Amino acid sequence: MKERGKIWMNGRLVPFKDAKVHVLTHALHYSTAVFEGIRCYKTATGPAIFRLSEHVDRLFKSAKIYSMKIPFSKKEISEGIIKTVQASGLKECYIRPIAYYSYGVLGLTPTPNKIDVAIACWEWNTGESSAGKTQGARCKISSWLRIDSRSQPMQAKAASNYANAALARVEALKDGYDEAIMLNYHGKISEGSAENIFMINKGQITTPPLDAGILDGITRDSVIRLARAEEIAVTERDIDRGEIYVADEVFMTGTAAEVKSVTEVDNVAIGDGKVGPVTLKMQKVFYQASRGMDDRFSDWLVPI
Ligand SMILES: Cc1ncc(COP(=O)(O)O)c(C=O)c1O
């Protein structure tokens, strides 16, 4: 990671190298943190943050689920995000706000600790999410089941959800795949390790519903809205593992991944094994909307 600009910590911009936490920080030991991943894109009228208010809302919802009272208002966090991007001088970046139980009392109970908030941003080079952008990603159905909301609230974007996701991701990479697809406790398709999933049949899109134990992805919501605006039907329903193998097309969505095509699952070619026309269309319309090239969705972008 290139250290560039500053990091916002509890309301102050501090130099990148000074944004440190104590080794006995509660969140480091017990995963008591909630966070967001947000993108700032270069547009013709300057850098703009994609769906900022939705991300800030989700951060506060995640915190509420974990009884964390963020000691800043949504407005203050939004302004902090904008200031952090401005201080970086970057035209495009990935932004990571995080709220966490801090240092003070180290036992399982988090609540005696104060909540700290940090916001960082850095240059995004597609790195781990490059597969699926220009050629299709090869995915593996993970042997790890996606944790279920009976065990952990999956609507929260909580650090604790990502141990399960990391196991799936690492297993897929070790087995020579690009990404994992996880089943839920009912054996239905849930999501990737950091993406929502969609399949296409006869030009129509299907995606698992939120009660499949998935994150309420902001890119998922954007793609559903874009598809409907393009008069492509979208249905939310449970998807069986077998349906994925015989789908015409499969793609995944996420802030990092954007719209990434999947052309192989468990060594089975999806459709003809090439990136399909609906995926290409959704990649194009998402690109245009996120880069300020689609007036219908200009309110998704906050100029900085
Ligand atoms: C588990 C999981 N599902 C889905 C997503 C996609 O969500 P979003 O589009 O809001 O980035 C993410 C990414 O943050 C994720 O981590």
Side-chain angles (χ1 to χ4, degrees), residues 239-255:
I239 298 176
D240 281 324
R241 176 176 187 161
E243 288 185 86
I244 286 285
Y245 299 136
V246 295
D248 295 340
E249 299 175 42
V250 173
F251 65 78
M252 290 174 142
T253 63
T255 294

Side-chain angles (χ1 to χ4, degrees), residues 144-156:
W144 296 103
L145 294 180
R146 190 71 176 126
I147 11 167
D148 179 289
S149 55
R150 286 168 296 183
S151 304
Q152 271 176 220
M154 300 309 289
Q155 294 303 306

Side-chain angles (χ1 to χ4, degrees), residues 58 146 157 162 191 193-196 215 217-219 253-255:
R58 192 171 65 183
R146 190 71 176 126
K157 191 169 167 65
Y162 286 85
E191 58 186 344
S193 55
E195 309 91 356
N196 294 115
L215 183 71
I218 291 165
T219 323
T253 63
T255 294

Side-chain angles (χ1 to χ4, degrees), residues 92-163:
E92 288 201 293
C93 60
Y94 181 87
I95 309 159
R96 167 59 52 82
I98 182 164
Y100 56 96
Y101 280 105
S102 184
Y103 166 64
V105 184
L106 197 59
L108 173 61
T109 314
T111 39
N113 294 288
K114 84 184 217 319
I115 308 291
D116 280 343
V117 186
I119 304 163
C121 72
W122 58 88
E123 199 172 351
W124 189 249
N125 49 32
T126 46
E128 62 176 22
S129 54
S130 60
K133 285 283 170 57
T134 49
Q135 60 189 58
R138 297 180 56 248
C139 293
K140 171 192 165 76
I141 303 284
S142 183
S143 69
W144 296 103
L145 294 180
R146 190 71 176 126
I147 11 167
D148 179 289
S149 55
R150 286 168 296 183
S151 304
Q152 271 176 220
M154 300 309 289
Q155 294 303 306
K157 191 169 167 65
S160 54
N161 297 349
Y162 286 85

